Amino acid sequence: MKIGFIGCGNMATAMLKGILKSGEVKNGDMIASAKSDKTREKIEKELGIQKADTNAQVVDFADVVFLAVKPQFLEEVLDEIKDNVKEGQIFISIAPGKTLQWLGEHLGEGTKIIRTMPNTPAMVGEGMSGVSYDENLFTDEEKQVIDGFFTSFGKMEKVDEKLMDVVGSASGCSPAYV
């Protein structure tokens, strides 16, 4: 499975490191884009994964695409990549306030989308992530892979979509003690 990240700030880097550390995905099967050349170079050098010069390049490469940009930039990114979305691809958004419905309207009906809110202890492998998605759209194998991503940098709890905005407020930077 090939994994891509659009955006590579602190949270994305924590997630990337956890996924790589799990050994489930090889460095050569990961790609990331970032706004600045400096960040793209850092990604390639420090994490040993491919750097993408464009967000569309990430979507063309990956089976699973993490949308790890700030919410105010997300619509622009989705407009940029929507024509590259392939059937069966999975998109995982960490942007607060952007619902599954909103994401689906921008990525296309029937797109497999996950909405999540990891917290900052993910940076040390102790994160707690609220995760929401329509389980009917995903195979059992895909659900196992998704769970594996989130448990690679902490713990996860499936949350009803209508409660996702509360997850961000409630979890803040708290540790993953459940």
Side-chain angles (χ1 to χ4, degrees):
M1 179 167 285
K2 294 182 179 181
I3 310 300
F5 275 76
I6 295 178
C8 210
N10 290 334
M11 187 57 65
T13 300
M15 297 166 79
L16 274 163
K17 286 179 178 178
I19 293 168
L20 285 169
K21 187 177 178 182
S22 75
E24 294 296 318
V25 180
K26 305 269 187 270
N27 297 55
D29 289 332
M30 296 188 86
I31 192 169
S33 64
K35 242 180 176 177
S36 74
D37 290 335
K38 182 179 178 181
T39 303
R40 287 192 296 273
E41 295 297 327
K42 181 180 174 184
I43 291 165
E44 187 176 48
K45 183 179 179 183
E46 288 184 15
L47 301 177
I49 66 172
Q50 299 177 61
K51 65 176 179 165
D53 294 322
T54 68
N55 297 328
Q57 189 180 352
V58 173
V59 176
D60 289 342
F61 174 86
D63 302 307
V64 177
V65 177
F66 284 82
L67 301 167
V69 298
K70 293 186 182 340
Q72 63 266 32
F73 303 121
L74 188 56
E75 187 167 7
E76 179 184 336
V77 167
L78 296 179
D79 287 344
E80 180 186 339
I81 66 170
K82 66 183 176 191
D83 293 335
N84 298 74
V85 174
K86 298 179 286 285
E87 187 175 329
Q89 228 170 359
I90 297 171
F91 288 83
I92 301 174
S93 172
I94 68 168
K98 302 299 184 185
T99 65
L100 290 172
Q101 180 181 343
W102 186 90
L103 291 160
E105 288 169 359
H106 287 82
L107 287 170
E109 193 173 318
T111 302
K112 295 179 178 189
I113 303 168
I114 297 165
R115 184 176 174 203
T116 185
M117 184 51 56
N119 64 1
T120 57
M123 293 178 192
V124 292
E126 294 293 330
M128 183 68 200
S129 301
V131 179
S132 179
Y133 58 93
D134 182 347
E135 293 193 42
N136 296 321
L137 293 176
F138 294 84
T139 66
D140 288 340
E141 181 182 351
E142 289 169 333
K143 290 176 195 176
Q144 283 183 307
V145 169
I146 292 161
D147 291 354
F149 289 150
F150 290 101
T151 57
S152 73
F153 51 85
K155 297 179 182 177
M156 69 164 281
E157 187 68 38
K158 290 185 182 156
V159 177
D160 190 277
E161 214 265 335
K162 68 183 177 195
L163 298 174
M164 281 302 294
D165 288 334
V166 176
V167 169
S169 299
S171 71
C173 295
S174 61
Y177 300 110
V178 176

